[in-house]
């Protein structure tokens, strides 16, 4: 990979990691479902007016939009509002990789390899260590909500794979159009008009910047650049860089909110990232080590 492209990929992982802290900044003034709904409204409009519909059936666009918008980011927003730190949220969401492997084994009858199983156990050890963190950055409800979001992300990945489109950016834009209305309705059911009144009275420049960051650099720019790199380079070259997301997620929370970086958090980070590396890239790493030896 060219150095400029490598730096661009690292920049995108940094944006994706810091985004969890940006979400937390937005939640001080905007309800979780409203925050997600406005984000996906901006993802869809006005881009949908200039980008042709991808060549997939409507059911995939609708399904992906609902699961990605409500199931993933609606729940992640709720988890962060429930007291989970942005750094821990970014770390837990990486479990979507293992949930995707499990769902893939059920839906596509893909066999799990020994390295995938071993990686899963290592990552689960990291997950268990998170429950022993007592500095106030972890809540049970927050953990469960973000893990549910990770499951939703894996379902979204399966929908995307079923759709089989190569027009990934168009797929993202068009599917985003189906998330806002259900998110707005859901907020109305849960909070009545209180959320909309709070949005009107408490929204400030910080909340606006949070929404704009989530919609444009994080979602549209991030996916556009990442998928461009995937088209230019092998997946095995680009995909491992996503392991940097939770690293930037925790560092961003430390820098923005002063989150304490305890030994337990470092251990959880190392275990989960190691588990991801072993589970997703174990055989490839073993071959490379064998070649070097």
């Amino acid at each position: 990979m060219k150095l400029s492209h490598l730096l661009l990929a690292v920049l995108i992982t940094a944006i994706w990691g810091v985004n969890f802290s940006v979400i937390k900044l937005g939640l001080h003034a905007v309800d979780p479902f409203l925050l997600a709904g406005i984000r996906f409204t901006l993802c869809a409009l006005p881009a949908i007016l200039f980008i042709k519909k991808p060549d997939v059936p409507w059911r995939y666009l609708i399904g992906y939009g609902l699961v990605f918008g409500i199931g993933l980011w609606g729940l992640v927003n709720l988890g962060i509002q429930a007291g989970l730190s942005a750094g821990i949220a970014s770390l837990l969401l990486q479990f979507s990789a293992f949930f995707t492997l499990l769902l893939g084994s059920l839906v596509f009858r893909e066999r799990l390899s020994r390295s995938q199983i071993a990686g899963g156990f290592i990552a689960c050890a990291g997950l268990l260590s998170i429950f022993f963190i007592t500095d106030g950055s972890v809540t049970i409800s927050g953990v469960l909500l973000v893990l549910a979001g990770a499951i939703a992300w894996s379902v979204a990945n399966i929908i995307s794979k079923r759709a089989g489109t190569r027009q990934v950016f168009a797929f993202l834009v068009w599917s985003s159009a189906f998330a806002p209305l259900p998110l707005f309705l859901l907020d109305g059911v849960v909070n009545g008009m209180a959320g909309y009144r709070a949005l009107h009275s408490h929204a400030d420049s910080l909340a606006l910047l949070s929404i704009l960051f989530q919609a444009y650099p994080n979602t549209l720019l991030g996916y556009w650049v990442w998928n461009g790199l995937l088209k230019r380079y092998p997946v095995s070259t680009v995909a491992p860089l996503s392991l940097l997301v939770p690293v930037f997620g925790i560092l961003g929370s430390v820098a923005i909110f002063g989150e304490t970086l305890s030994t337990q958090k470092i251990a959880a980070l190392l275990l989960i990232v190691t588990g991801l590396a072993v589970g997703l890239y174990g055989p490839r790493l073993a071959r490379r080590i064998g070649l070097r030896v």
Side-chain angles (χ1 to χ4, degrees), residues 1-292:
M1 184 181 290
K2 291 181 179 179
L3 178 59
S4 59
H5 291 160
L6 176 61
L7 293 176
L8 188 59
V10 172
L11 173 62
I12 295 304
T13 62
I15 290 173
W16 285 344
V18 172
N19 182 62
F20 291 87
S21 292
V22 174
I23 288 173
K24 188 169 183 177
L25 289 173
L27 288 171
H28 84 282
V30 187
D31 281 352
F33 291 130
L34 283 181
L35 188 66
I38 298 171
R39 168 188 178 173
F40 285 102
T41 299
L42 295 180
C43 287
L45 297 172
I48 200 171
L49 303 176
F50 306 99
I51 296 176
K52 185 179 178 181
K53 175 184 172 294
D55 54 350
V56 298
W58 284 102
R59 64 179 182 275
Y60 292 122
L61 292 172
I62 297 171
Y64 188 89
L66 294 176
V67 174
F68 192 70
I70 302 172
L72 171 54
W73 291 110
L75 291 180
V76 168
N77 289 0
L78 280 176
I80 294 175
Q81 188 190 55
L84 193 66
S85 76
I88 297 298
S90 71
L91 189 57
L92 288 176
L93 196 59
Q94 305 312 306
F95 273 87
S96 65
F98 291 111
F99 293 140
T100 300
L101 291 175
L102 291 173
L103 282 176
S105 67
L106 294 174
V107 176
F108 301 108
R109 300 190 181 278
E110 299 172 347
R111 292 187 59 184
L112 295 175
S113 67
R114 285 179 294 181
S115 64
Q116 290 170 340
I117 295 172
F121 278 112
I122 295 171
C124 284
L127 173 60
L128 290 175
S129 69
I130 287 176
F131 288 99
F132 293 97
I133 296 173
T134 57
D135 62 359
S137 61
V138 174
T139 62
I140 300 299
S141 58
V143 168
L144 295 178
L145 283 166
V146 173
L147 286 178
I151 294 173
W153 196 359
S154 67
V155 173
N157 289 336
I158 296 299
I159 293 173
S160 178
K161 187 171 182 178
R162 282 282 196 184
T165 182
R166 292 188 176 184
Q167 301 166 294
V168 181
F169 185 74
F171 185 83
L172 177 65
V173 169
W174 277 77
S175 63
S176 294
F178 297 98
L181 183 57
L183 283 164
F184 294 147
L185 291 174
L186 191 56
D187 185 80
V189 170
V190 174
N191 301 309
M193 294 302 297
Y196 294 95
R197 286 194 292 268
L199 176 63
H200 181 266
S201 59
H202 298 304
D204 53 16
S205 58
L206 193 61
L208 177 61
L209 288 174
S210 171
I211 294 169
L212 293 176
F213 183 92
Q214 291 175 62
Y216 297 117
N218 180 73
T219 305
L220 294 183
L221 176 65
Y223 279 89
W224 177 60
V225 171
W226 195 260
N227 287 311
L229 292 172
L230 288 173
K231 289 180 180 179
R232 180 181 289 266
Y233 298 102
V235 174
S236 59
T237 300
V238 180
L241 293 171
S242 64
L243 295 177
L244 293 173
V245 172
V247 176
F248 285 117
I250 289 181
L251 291 177
S253 188
V254 170
I256 296 173
F257 297 105
E259 181 177 346
T260 304
L261 192 58
S262 63
T263 303
Q264 288 174 305
K265 288 182 183 178
I266 294 174
L269 174 65
L270 291 176
L271 283 169
I272 292 175
V273 171
T274 300
L276 286 166
V278 171
L280 301 179
Y281 313 110
R284 190 178 306 118
L285 291 173
R287 286 196 299 270
R288 289 185 178 180
I289 292 172
L291 287 173
R292 288 177 182 176

